């Protein structure tokens, strides 16, 4: 293709203007060709980079979804223990993360932790960390029963069992606030080990009335 | 169309690359938008499903809660509901009703008879943000009105607000 020459004759004597003039009065179409091909190459590079970025983001989103699923299953196990009456066996659960550890997609470090308010599953690889949080439906304490009873003994001089309820002058709000403070600390769990989920009852006696408080205990 | 095909001036020819590149870019942007929209929809649905399970579990738990049971374990006492529904007459009973549940799960309970003649709402004292999304689950219950002379079918609904930090 040849673009028609523009009318008129131009004479320029300044040698510094030669390049610009060549560019302006090029009638061969080469500049046009080079510019369009360069633009095409740049656009192709941008599209390829965007595709690569999109693919990487989708992989991260997929991992995040899997972490959410792991956290959801762990949360469901704790909540199902909370829902069950203390007397039946479903209130005592042994939970394993085993099916997820060593999974090919999670080659990096995966951690699980639990507090009185939520469960957290986190995963770190290279320079990026993913987290999945799930709030718990029932009041939970990340301690075993002995530790809980010892804490109550130290604070209220009573273990809170049915044979040794917490008595006056300790009031119900005082006990619940103390137990809530025990659950604020986040406890890390070993994902290759067994997690025990049980239910504990704490009794508070106020004159003739005895109150029963239910808590889910999560420990290893 | 004929004009376009028979055009010998090649006016468009040098710009074909640009046009095709623009089409590819537009196509890619549309594709990325569709993928992200599909992912967001999936994420929203999966959140709704997770929370529906939790709401359903809480609803079943409340339906079996001994504190509001009537003369039989499968009945819910209207008198007990009167004590803890808004405004709560028995603060202690109201407190015990919510004590088992973590403060992180923000929910309220609605119980009504199927004929809509009686309705109770049990909610925590703190105010909730009405702008947050709500997931609800219901279970059928039988409500004992008065002193057991009359039992009517009803529905117990648990509505969970979307958690602020998720």
């Amino acid at each position: 293709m040849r673009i028609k020459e523009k009318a008129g004759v131009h004479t320029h004597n300044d040698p510094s203007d030669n390049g610009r003039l060549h560019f302006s009065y090029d009638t061969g179409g080469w500049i046009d060709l080079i510019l369009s091909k360069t633009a095409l190459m740049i656009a192709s590079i941008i599209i390829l980079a965007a595709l690569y970025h999109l693919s990487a983001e989708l992989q991260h989103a997929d991992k995040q979804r899997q972490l959410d699923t792991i956290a959801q299953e762990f949360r469901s196990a704790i909540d199902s223990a909370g829902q069950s009456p203390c007397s039946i066996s479903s209130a005592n659960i042994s939970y394993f993360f085993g099916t997820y550890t060593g999974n090919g997609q999670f080659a990096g470090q995966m951690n699980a932790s639990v507090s009185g308010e939520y469960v957290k599953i986190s995963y770190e690889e290279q320079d990026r960390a993913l987290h999945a949080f799930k709030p718990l439906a029932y009041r939970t304490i990340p301690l075993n029963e002995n530790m809980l009873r010892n804490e109550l003994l130290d604070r209220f001089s009573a273990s809170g069992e049915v044979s040794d309820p917490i008595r006056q002058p300790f009031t119900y709000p005082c006990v619940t606030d103390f137990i809530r403070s025990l659950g604020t600390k986040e406890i890390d769990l070993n994902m290759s080990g067994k997690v025990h989920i049980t239910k504990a009852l704490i009794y508070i006696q106020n004159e003739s009335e005895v109150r029963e408080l239910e808590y889910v205990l999560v420990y290893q | 169309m004929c004009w376009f095909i028979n055009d010998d001036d090649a006016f468009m020819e040098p710009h074909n690359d640009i046009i095709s590149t623009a089409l590819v870019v537009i196509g890619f942007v549309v594709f990325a938008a569709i993928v992200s929209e599909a992912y967001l929809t999936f994420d929203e649905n999966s959140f709704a499903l997770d929370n529906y399970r939790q709401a359903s579990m809480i609803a079943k738990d409340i339906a079996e809660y001994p504190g509001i049971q009537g003369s039989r374990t499968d009945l819910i006492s209207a008198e007990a509901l009167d004590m803890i529904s808004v405004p709560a007459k028995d603060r202690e009973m109201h407190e015990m009703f919510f004590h088992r549940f973590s403060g992180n799960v923000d929910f309220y309970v609605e119980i009504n008879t199927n004929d809509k003649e009686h309705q109770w709402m049990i909610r925590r004292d703190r105010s909730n943000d009405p702008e947050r999304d709500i997931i609800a689950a219901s279970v059928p219950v039988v409500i004992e009105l008065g002193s057991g002379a009359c039992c009517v079918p009803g529905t117990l609904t648990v509505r969970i607000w979307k958690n602020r930090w998720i």
Side-chain angles (χ1 to χ4, degrees):
Chain A
M1 186 211 70
R2 189 175 177 85
I3 296 172
K4 289 177 185 172
E5 283 187 34
K6 291 184 180 174
V9 179
H10 300 268
T11 53
H12 298 275
N13 297 325
D14 186 358
S16 65
D17 283 348
N18 281 348
R20 187 173 59 80
L21 291 173
H22 176 72
F23 184 85
S24 301
Y25 297 102
D26 170 46
T27 54
W30 283 105
I31 300 296
D32 193 15
L33 183 73
I34 289 167
L35 281 176
S36 70
K37 295 298 177 195
T38 309
L40 186 65
M41 280 192 289
I42 292 170
S44 304
I45 290 167
I46 291 171
I47 289 172
L48 286 174
L51 266 175
Y52 175 78
H53 190 68
L54 182 72
S55 155
E57 282 301 316
L58 283 176
Q59 277 185 5
H60 277 291
D62 191 40
K63 281 182 183 170
Q64 180 66 52
R65 194 175 54 79
Q66 290 202 25
L67 284 186
D68 281 340
T69 306
I70 297 170
Q72 167 65 24
E73 287 191 10
F74 187 39
R75 186 260 294 266
S76 295
I78 295 174
D79 284 351
S80 64
Q83 189 192 15
S84 308
C86 268
S87 50
I88 66 171
S89 59
S90 59
N92 295 300
I93 295 172
S94 295
Y95 187 82
F96 291 94
F97 289 103
T99 48
Y100 303 108
T101 51
N103 187 331
Q105 194 169 3
F106 293 106
Q109 179 70 30
M110 200 194 301
N111 297 305
S113 54
V114 63
S115 79
E117 303 289 338
Y118 58 85
V119 296
K120 183 179 93 176
I121 306 290
S122 53
Y123 175 70
E124 288 175 29
E125 64 170 3
Q126 296 163 359
D127 57 341
R128 196 160 178 171
L130 300 172
H131 302 282
F133 290 90
K134 294 286 172 190
L136 296 167
Y138 293 92
R139 291 196 187 273
T140 304
I141 307 171
L143 298 174
N144 65 34
E145 186 147 6
N146 284 337
M147 290 166 75
L148 174 67
R149 300 293 176 196
N150 288 336
E151 292 279 359
L152 293 174
L153 267 174
D154 289 347
R155 179 71 179 79
F156 304 111
S157 306
S159 65
E161 289 170 299
V162 67
S163 56
D164 184 20
I166 297 168
R167 293 186 174 86
Q168 296 280 359
F170 300 110
T171 57
Y172 166 78
C174 172
V175 176
T176 52
D177 286 349
F178 175 72
I179 296 172
R180 191 178 298 122
S181 71
L182 294 177
T184 52
K185 196 178 172 189
E186 195 177 290
I187 304 290
D188 289 328
L189 300 171
N190 175 10
M191 291 191 77
S192 53
K194 185 163 65 173
V195 181
H196 300 278
I197 304 168
T198 60
K199 205 166 180 182
L201 294 176
I202 295 169
Y203 294 88
I204 303 172
Q205 187 170 2
N206 182 9
E207 296 173 358
S208 60
E209 184 193 24
V210 178
R211 279 188 181 184
E212 183 186 88
L213 305 180
E214 292 180 6
Y215 286 91
V216 181
L217 306 181
V218 182
Y219 60 94
Q220 281 192 309
Chain B
M1 189 67 184
C2 287
W3 175 81
F4 188 80
I5 293 168
N6 298 325
D7 173 32
D8 294 330
D9 290 342
F11 179 73
M12 293 293 288
E13 179 62 22
H15 308 296
N16 271 354
D17 296 343
I18 305 295
I19 293 166
S20 53
T21 309
L23 284 175
V24 170
V25 168
I26 291 167
F28 175 74
V29 168
V30 171
F31 169 74
I34 290 170
V35 167
S36 61
E37 186 63 33
Y39 181 77
L40 287 176
T41 308
F42 171 79
D43 196 44
E44 193 78 9
N45 288 346
S46 113
F47 164 80
L49 186 63
D50 284 355
N51 282 270
Y52 173 75
R53 283 190 196 131
Q54 197 169 37
S56 175
M57 184 191 69
I58 292 173
K60 282 179 195 159
D61 189 5
I62 290 173
E64 294 165 5
Y65 177 56
I68 57 171
Q69 269 175 11
S71 57
R72 292 202 319 258
T73 53
D74 58 337
L75 299 177
I76 290 181
S77 163
E79 285 176 10
L81 293 177
D82 286 338
M83 302 301 277
I84 57 173
S85 61
V86 178
K89 291 172 190 161
D90 189 335
R91 299 296 313 163
E92 211 173 289
M93 194 175 165
H94 178 267
E95 210 169 286
M96 288 301 288
F97 179 81
F98 281 108
H99 175 266
R100 294 168 301 144
F101 301 106
S102 161
N104 265 340
V105 180
D106 217 354
F107 69 94
Y108 69 94
V109 186
E110 271 180 2
I111 302 168
N112 47 41
T113 53
N114 287 353
D115 57 10
K116 306 290 179 196
E117 277 194 22
H118 298 87
Q119 185 168 10
W120 296 268
M121 184 184 284
I122 310 169
R123 61 194 303 170
R124 283 196 170 106
D125 295 333
R126 65 168 181 260
S127 62
N128 292 295
D129 181 1
E131 289 181 2
R132 281 186 287 157
D133 293 341
I134 285 180
I135 307 289
S138 299
V139 290
V141 290
V142 180
I143 300 161
E144 187 180 47
L145 300 171
S147 56
C150 178
C151 292
V152 291
T155 309
L156 187 152
T157 306
V158 168
R159 297 181 194 275
I160 295 186
W161 272 284
K162 186 173 183 176
N163 209 306
R164 285 188 185 88
W165 47 268
I166 290 185

